[in-house]
Amino acid sequence: MAGNASVPGASVAQRLFRVLDTFDPAHGEMTLTEIAERADLPISTTRRLLQELTAWGGLERLVDNRFRVGIHLWQIGTLAPRQRDLRETALPLMHDLAKATQETVQVMVLDGLDALCVEKVSAARASPTATQVGGRLPLYATAVGKCLLAHSPRDLLVAVVERGLSRHTPHTLTQPGLLVRQLKEVRAAGVAYSREEMTLGAVSVAAPILSGGTLRGAIGIVVRAPGQLEALTPAVKTASLSIGRVIS
Amino acid sequence: MAGNASVPGASVAQRLFRVLDTFDPAHGEMTLTEIAERADLPISTTRRLLQELTAWGGLERLVDNRFRVGIHLWQIGTLAPRQRDLRETALPLMHDLAKATQETVQVMVLDGLDALCVEKVSAARASPTATQVGGRLPLYATAVGKCLLAHSPRDLLVAVVERGLSRHTPHTLTQPGLLVRQLKEVRAAGVAYSREEMTLGAVSVAAPILSGGTLRGAIGIVVRAPGQLEALTPAVKTASLSIGRVIS
């Protein structure tokens, strides 16, 4: 396909994807100018692509001329089997776990070098957490992430270390050697912990969801009281085993 | 944008959307040939578009060369505010309602001439229902749909009637006059019923979710025993009012 003068080599499809990729939880509604800037595309190209996306229903145009993701795109996305099977199987157990612990339960899957949240269930009185459904977390600084990393090919660990272990709190594991040792413990124990490594004041415990030996995701609980982690470990492990056994 | 010989007037973006739109709950995994056929596009065009979609992550290619919707498309879709705000607000109440009734609770929004399911919660022992998250139901034959129809501009009713009131069971309302009368009752009572109008053996009660006078969706319970509908009505109305009051 022909390239565009301002974006050498980019096809129409790639420019379209670039427009869609400007949307994230922090950029949910944007003007034409903002989208063009974030997509690094000319205004005229962006306007034409936005018209096509809006006509299709992938984006919606608001009365103030800002754009947001449309329900048609959401609908197609719900068909993604990797999240769909997992969340349908996990959801009842997540609710039981959230209710029993009065905390926040998350199920994450691997997506590139990150953990991606496919479902989150919070009890009414749970401490607020930053993660949203569709949001990302680093693999090396979270309990769910360490589960995913520990049960993936070593290439992933290498890539994560090469990208750099950024410090989120003073407790983040930024030394590759320490991380490698912890991942070995995670594999042996079948459970991972994060002790204020991602957010100060928040600790978590997680277990991998394995089905027939294949990694499908990880389930974790986030709490404020570090003393509770040990007590919650059996509940999280049990939930992960139940989901793994049932998931198709 | 230039058209394509086989699809006169269709732009690259439109052909891309046509490929994505071939996926639905009954067509979750397809080969190149199946997608090309359903999209009514040449194989060569389809192959190129599939390559671009797969490279982006919108679709995933399986080892058997079939394609399915990818988690990246799901992730962008989660940003759609119309479903996101509603499901986040409704989910805890839906679980309470499902647990209390041991049945299936659904939250739907208006999408074109259909009701679109944004969330569904089933109790462990609930009777199975056909609707899935992301699935569609007719507005005139379901309790949730009648709520959406009753609180929408009259143009929608006209369009729904013009498309035709297909008979799903012997109890489906196929006479426009009857439907108009029922919708008036729905507005007056603040609640709608479907008595085996969509599926034989399944009855449901639903209430509209209104926030500041604006229709945001509808919540309904599907049960097998017609005698339970009256008893469930206050619970459904209460849930719809709570969601409407809290939703941003």
Side-chain angles (χ1 to χ4, degrees):
Chain A
M1 255 171 261
N4 176 296
S6 75
V7 190
S11 68
V12 173
Q14 285 164 346
R15 290 192 294 254
L16 197 80
F17 301 152
R18 206 183 284 200
V19 166
L20 287 175
D21 283 336
T22 61
F23 291 87
D24 64 34
H27 301 84
E29 296 185 355
M30 289 179 287
T31 62
L32 162 62
T33 317
E34 288 167 330
I35 294 169
E37 197 165 293
R38 279 175 60 82
D40 196 17
L41 290 169
I43 293 278
S44 57
T45 307
T46 309
R47 182 185 289 118
R48 205 171 52 232
L49 292 171
L50 287 172
Q51 273 164 0
E52 301 223 54
L53 280 161
T54 308
W56 176 53
L59 296 181
E60 292 172 354
R61 187 183 194 135
L62 300 171
V63 282
D64 64 2
N65 277 328
R66 292 194 297 166
F67 295 86
R68 65 180 189 183
V69 175
I71 204 133
H72 188 66
L73 202 60
W74 170 79
Q75 194 195 355
I76 297 177
T78 60
L79 297 169
R82 272 216 291 149
Q83 66 79 25
R84 188 181 191 108
D85 301 345
L86 187 56
R87 80 174 284 283
E88 282 184 6
T89 309
L91 202 51
L93 276 153
M94 294 177 75
H95 271 276
D96 292 346
L97 208 50
K99 200 145 200 171
T101 59
Q102 286 298 311
E103 293 290 355
T104 296
V105 181
Q106 297 172 331
V107 165
M108 318 275 292
V109 296
L110 202 57
D111 188 33
L113 302 185
D114 299 309
L116 176 65
C117 179
V118 298
E119 193 55 89
K120 170 185 158 177
V121 174
S122 293
R125 291 182 293 280
S127 331
T129 54
T131 332
Q132 320 188 43
V133 173
R136 292 166 174 285
L137 286 177
L139 293 172
Y140 60 92
T142 59
V144 277
K146 286 180 200 171
C147 288
L148 299 172
L149 203 46
H151 293 271
S152 294
R154 203 181 163 82
D155 295 356
L156 180 66
L157 175 61
V158 172
V160 165
V161 168
E162 275 178 0
R163 190 176 60 171
L165 307 177
S166 310
R167 185 178 292 284
H168 294 277
T169 76
H171 305 290
T172 310
L173 296 180
T174 54
Q175 293 180 40
L178 278 180
L179 182 60
V180 169
R181 216 173 308 153
Q182 266 211 8
L183 293 179
K184 204 176 157 187
E185 289 170 21
V186 170
R187 272 189 298 273
V191 67
Y193 298 97
S194 164
R195 302 177 190 274
E196 300 191 271
E197 295 158 42
M198 184 65 209
T199 310
L200 281 177
V203 295
S204 69
V205 51
I209 299 168
L210 299 159
S211 166
T214 304
L215 178 72
R216 301 294 291 267
I219 181 168
I221 303 191
V222 183
V223 301
R224 296 281 143 178
Q228 291 184 350
L229 280 191
E230 296 290 328
L232 291 174
T233 300
V236 172
K237 272 179 100 162
T238 307
S240 73
L241 291 171
S242 304
I243 298 166
R245 198 173 50 242
V246 173
I247 195 168
S248 52
Chain B
M1 253 170 259
N4 175 296
S6 74
V7 191
S11 67
V12 172
Q14 285 164 346
R15 291 192 294 254
L16 196 79
F17 301 151
R18 207 184 280 200
V19 166
L20 288 175
D21 284 336
T22 61
F23 290 87
D24 64 32
H27 300 84
E29 296 186 355
M30 288 179 288
T31 62
L32 162 63
T33 317
E34 287 167 329
I35 295 170
E37 197 164 295
R38 279 175 59 82
D40 196 18
L41 289 170
I43 292 278
S44 57
T45 307
T46 308
R47 182 184 289 122
R48 205 170 54 230
L49 292 171
L50 286 173
Q51 274 163 0
E52 301 224 52
L53 280 162
T54 308
W56 176 53
L59 295 181
E60 292 171 354
R61 187 183 195 137
L62 300 172
V63 282
D64 64 1
N65 277 331
R66 292 195 299 167
F67 294 86
R68 64 181 190 184
V69 175
I71 204 137
H72 189 66
L73 202 61
W74 170 78
Q75 194 194 356
I76 297 177
T78 61
L79 297 170
R82 272 217 290 151
Q83 66 78 23
R84 189 182 191 105
D85 300 346
L86 187 54
R87 80 175 284 283
E88 283 186 3
T89 308
L91 200 51
L93 276 154
M94 294 177 75
H95 272 275
D96 292 346
L97 209 50
K99 198 144 202 173
T101 60
Q102 285 299 310
E103 293 289 355
T104 296
V105 181
Q106 298 173 330
V107 165
M108 317 275 292
V109 297
L110 201 60
D111 188 33
L113 301 185
D114 299 310
L116 176 65
C117 179
V118 298
E119 193 55 88
K120 171 184 159 179
V121 174
S122 293
R125 290 181 295 280
S127 331
T129 53
T131 332
Q132 318 188 43
V133 172
R136 291 166 175 286
L137 286 176
L139 293 172
Y140 60 93
T142 59
V144 277
K146 287 179 198 170
C147 288
L148 298 172
L149 203 46
H151 290 87
S152 294
R154 204 179 163 81
D155 295 356
L156 180 66
L157 175 61
V158 173
V160 165
V161 169
E162 276 178 1
R163 190 175 59 171
L165 306 178
S166 311
R167 186 178 292 283
H168 294 276
T169 75
H171 307 288
T172 309
L173 296 180
T174 53
Q175 292 180 40
L178 279 180
L179 182 60
V180 168
R181 217 174 308 153
Q182 265 213 8
L183 294 178
K184 205 176 156 186
E185 288 170 21
V186 170
R187 270 188 300 271
V191 67
Y193 299 97
S194 165
R195 301 176 191 275
E196 302 193 88
E197 294 158 42
M198 184 66 211
T199 311
L200 281 177
V203 294
S204 69
V205 51
I209 298 168
L210 299 158
S211 166
T214 304
L215 179 72
R216 301 294 290 268
I219 181 167
I221 304 194
V222 183
V223 301
R224 297 279 143 181
Q228 290 185 352
L229 280 191
E230 296 290 328
L232 291 174
T233 301
V236 172
K237 275 180 95 161
T238 307
S240 74
L241 291 171
S242 302
I243 299 167
R245 201 173 47 244
V246 173
I247 197 171
S248 53

